[in-house]
Amino acid sequence: GTLQLIRDTTSMPSSTHCARGISLPALVLFLAGAPSDVFGAVATQPVPPVLAKGEKVRVEIYKKIAPAVVGLSCKAQMPNGQPGQFYGTGAVISPEGLVLTNITVIPEGASEVKVYFTDKKIMPAGIVKIDAPSEGVLIKVTGAANLPYMKLADSSKYEVGDPVYSWGNPHLTIQRDGVVSLSTGTLSGIYSVGSVDNQSRYVGPVLETDAAVNPGSDGGPITDSEGNLLGIMSLAFSQTRWLGLAI
């Protein structure tokens, strides 16, 4: 029967196994081909009104806030002294084109800074200020006006357990498709951290989240459930807690 097939994975090819059982792709493929008499009753159940309302709110927040999330790229010197190409995410915080990000995306001395919008526009930008202690970078989009932007929140007002969103440009999704990656999660920790990686050396207070953070998300915003900016994601991490961090 169906349940027996899910439990018994010993006869399946090794490529379909995780360390402790069947992999998600294999399970999804299996369920997709399952008989309708087994899963049909479950699949046709209506979404509870409370959940449907929550999902609708997220959709509206995404439509409103995603245009204020931008992809970034620049040329700068790598830690080994060689020239390199950097990319990541930024958050627009004013209609005149001020964008917050961090030095793992736009290092000091960066040139050819480009800003990529969800409507496929590409605009140049220049560095306004770099704050070394926070590793924060403020850039200004050249000739920008009336841009969608995020409002700044007082991050000290939030507590562990509050819902948060991570917004990013993982693997150049904005440059490729004009799509901002959105992930939902919770504020899973508030503490101080010392970095152990060789790019970010930030030491200080952070907001930790279990919302997804992927390569290229660094420099992007963490927001509350209404899209207000709480912090900027950093590559910094601690030795004991390996989740996404926002400064």
Side-chain angles (χ1 to χ4, degrees), residues 23 27 51 70 81 97 100 113 142 162 178 200 224 230-231:
S23 70
L27 181 58
L51 293 180
V70 294
L100 273 177
V113 179
T142 304
D162 282 334
S200 173
D224 64 16
L230 298 180

Side-chain angles (χ1 to χ4, degrees), residues 54-66:
E55 292 168 357
K56 184 64 174 177
V57 169
R58 284 195 294 271
V59 170
E60 294 304 317
I61 292 295
Y62 182 84
K63 290 179 180 178
K64 177 183 177 181
I65 299 300

